[in-house]
Each structure stands twice: as structure tokens, then as C-alpha cells.
Amino acid sequence: AALADYAKEGVDVPADLPFTDNAAVVAAIEQRPAGLVWILQDTCSFAKATDESFADAVEDKLKDSPALGRAKGAGARGGPRSFTLRHYAGEVTYAVSGFLHKNKDPLNEDLQVALGESSRPLVASLLQHARAGAGGSRGFKGVLSKFYGQLESLVRQLATSKCTFVRCIKPNPGMRPGEVDAAHVAGQLTACGVLEAIAITRAGFPDRLLCAELAPQFGMLLHPEAVPTGLGDEEARAVCERVLRAGGLEKGRDFALGHRKVFLRQGAFARLRDARRRRTLAYATRLQARARTMLATRKRHRLAAAAEAGTTWPSAS
């Protein structure tokens, strides 16, 4: 996501950023026609297909894929036929036993009879829908392909939405309250890519804001009067660059400007806030000095007026 944001904003980032490309695994699972989803779908379409023939098809069609690990078959110990995928989180071995049956998910014959003989129209219609889904459409659609279709629909919906995800971390394997297993937590953060995402962000630009948001927040570095909100992209970008330079930041070394966003190196945002704090204190000190000067001048005028009138100034005041 960070790299995509850089590309969208037209910001150049170092080519040596730590990044693990997971494209090979994604292609091995979902690419047509040699992905696991479609290999399983095609194998289930044949009446005489077996789990062994599915494993053979996986090894044949994915033999050149870097995501396919070392094939495991029934060896000296008589283990089940299996294949291994090199996921981002590590290698995972899948035993092929029952793959086809679970994907076909056939209805039990007794259940079909019970549904078909039901006197309730709704219950009887469930069997009709099940039969239509199994043979009414072109080609075979198994559990995995249906799930994949639902997943594609969800991804399209998320692409049109602005979502915030909360990642849940298990504190310990036994789910015991008040106990945190550091190694267990670190393993989850590593496996789900959080640590690598943080490393990529820190190596590039950890902090990023819209220019139209940053300019009003730190506009006082240019002038004590507030920078107006609602600036256009180009105007906000120009004001933002002037604000950053006024805060002591150098373009390229400390920040980069995109089309609509400003990207800040590690520590640059803290320096910018410190510059705003120091400028606020300077303005406050100047205001206090002016106020004290005004009060002292008024007091001097009153003392002078009292002296001319031959009176003394009350000590209490």
C-alpha cells in the first residue's frame, strides 16, 4: 500500500527498499488456467478424477512456479500425497486426501429424499435450488470456485469504499487473560506483514499528510495570521513547500511533495512540530512584551499626571 501511494503521488523512493513480492504465490493460487483454484475446478469436472490425479495436475502445471515447494508423496512411512506452497508467512503443506470430495460437497442421498418429500413448499424448493446450482449452469462450480467468486465481489466492493481495518493479535496460544507471549505476538506480526510494512514505511516516508491539511496547521511558520482552508491542490502544494522550508526542512532530504500529499522522512514531522512550538512561544513572548510595555506606559502616564497635580500615587496600586 505504501509503494502504491508513492507511485500514485509521483514520488520517487529508493530502489533498495525492503520488500517481499508475493505475486508468485498469488499467481499459483488464482491465475487462470494454471492456478490451484482452476486446477481443482477442472479436475472435479471429470467423473473418474481422484485426489492423486489432482496432485499430479498440481505438480505438472506448477512445476516452474517458485511458489511450489518440494513435492511430498507417499514415501517409506506411507504418508498421504501432498504438495507444499511457499506462502509469505512460511511453507505450508497440504494433504490432497479429500480435496475433491470436499470441493464437490455432494448432498447426502437421504437428505435429498427428505427434502424432496417435504410438504412445505419452502423446504422442497431448497432441493430444487441445490440441483439447479449443481447442474443447471455451464460447467462445474465447486465450493472453492464459489468462495473465490464471493471473494472477488468483496474485493471489488472494498475497492470502492474507504475502510479501516483492525488487526486482532492473540496474546498467547492458550488465550489466557493477562498473559502476553512476546514471541507468539511477534510471530503473528511477522506472518501478517505488519513488521515488513513498518520497515518499508520507515525506510521511505513514515509520515504523510494532504498539503491542504498541513498548510493551515503549520501556516504560522510563515505568518502569524492563519492560512485559509479550502485551498486548491496547486496553491496548497506551493504554500506547503514554503511552510516546510520555514520549518527548517530541506526538500529531498527531509520531505518530498506529491501531487496532493507531502511525504516526510523519519523525524521530520517531529522537527516541524517543534518549530511550530518554538514559533508559538516566540509569538506569545512578543505579545506579553507588548502587553507589559503598554501597562508600564499607562502606569508612567498616571504617575506623571499625579505628580503634576501634587498628589502621590497610592502604594497599593
Side-chain angles (χ1 to χ4, degrees):
L3 295 177
D5 201 15
Y6 295 149
K8 181 180 178 182
E9 290 291 322
V11 174
D12 295 329
V13 293
D16 57 347
L17 282 180
F19 174 65
T20 301
D21 193 353
N22 207 33
V25 180
V26 175
I29 295 175
E30 63 180 30
Q31 188 176 24
R32 293 176 183 263
L36 282 171
V37 174
W38 312 110
I39 295 175
L40 183 59
Q41 167 119 342
D42 293 341
T43 305
C44 289
S45 300
F46 296 98
K48 296 183 179 181
T50 63
D51 293 331
E52 291 287 332
S53 62
F54 168 65
D56 291 337
V58 170
E59 294 176 4
D60 178 58
K61 295 186 178 181
L62 295 179
K63 59 184 178 182
D64 297 326
S65 172
L68 186 67
R70 189 173 182 179
K72 298 180 180 180
R77 297 183 181 180
R81 186 77 178 275
S82 61
F83 62 90
T84 301
L85 280 183
R86 296 189 178 99
H87 291 279
Y88 170 79
E91 290 193 354
V92 179
T93 299
Y94 301 88
V96 300
S97 177
F99 253 65
L100 269 63
H101 180 76
K102 293 176 182 177
N103 188 51
K104 291 178 180 178
D105 193 25
L107 284 174
N108 184 280
E109 292 184 2
D110 294 337
L111 178 60
Q112 295 186 46
V113 173
L115 290 174
E117 294 181 353
S118 175
S119 59
R120 296 180 177 274
L122 175 61
V123 177
S125 67
L126 295 177
L127 179 61
Q128 298 175 1
H129 288 304
R131 286 174 174 171
S137 59
R138 294 183 58 188
F140 170 79
K141 288 187 177 180
V143 174
L144 186 58
S145 60
K146 292 177 183 177
F147 169 77
Y148 183 70
Q150 295 171 354
L151 183 61
E152 282 187 323
S153 176
L154 175 62
V155 170
R156 286 194 298 268
Q157 184 176 357
L158 291 177
T160 59
S161 309
K162 292 184 178 180
C163 302
T164 300
F165 295 94
V166 177
R167 191 177 298 278
C168 298
I169 301 296
K170 294 182 180 179
N172 57 75
M175 300 298 291
R176 293 179 291 273
E179 179 182 333
V180 177
D181 186 335
H184 185 68
V185 172
Q188 294 175 77
L189 294 175
T190 302
C192 61
V194 171
L195 297 184
E196 186 171 18
I198 293 174
I200 292 174
T201 303
R202 294 185 64 181
F205 301 92
D207 299 302
R208 62 203 64 189
L209 295 89
L210 289 171
C211 293
E213 294 178 356
L214 184 138
Q217 290 183 34
F218 296 89
M220 63 180 307
L221 294 174
L222 292 176
H223 196 276
E225 295 181 2
V227 174
T229 58
L231 298 175
D233 291 341
E234 289 299 325
E235 188 178 3
R237 191 174 185 274
V239 173
C240 188
E241 183 172 359
R242 292 169 53 206
V243 166
L244 294 172
R245 292 186 184 279
L249 303 184
E250 182 180 334
K251 189 175 182 180
R253 185 194 67 185
D254 300 315
F255 69 92
L257 285 172
H259 302 305
R260 299 177 63 246
K261 294 182 180 180
V262 56
F263 298 82
L264 301 170
R265 296 280 188 188
Q266 186 176 0
F269 193 54
R271 290 166 53 194
L272 193 64
R273 286 183 297 185
D274 185 63
R276 181 177 62 180
R277 180 187 62 82
R278 287 186 279 106
R279 185 61 60 88
T280 302
L281 290 176
Y283 287 148
T285 302
R286 188 183 304 174
L287 180 62
Q288 289 176 355
R290 295 285 180 87
R292 287 170 180 162
T293 300
M294 181 187 67
L295 292 176
T297 301
R298 288 181 179 178
K299 184 176 181 179
R300 182 173 60 82
H301 289 165
R302 289 175 183 175
L303 286 172
E308 290 179 0
T311 60
T312 59
W313 191 260
S315 60
S317 59

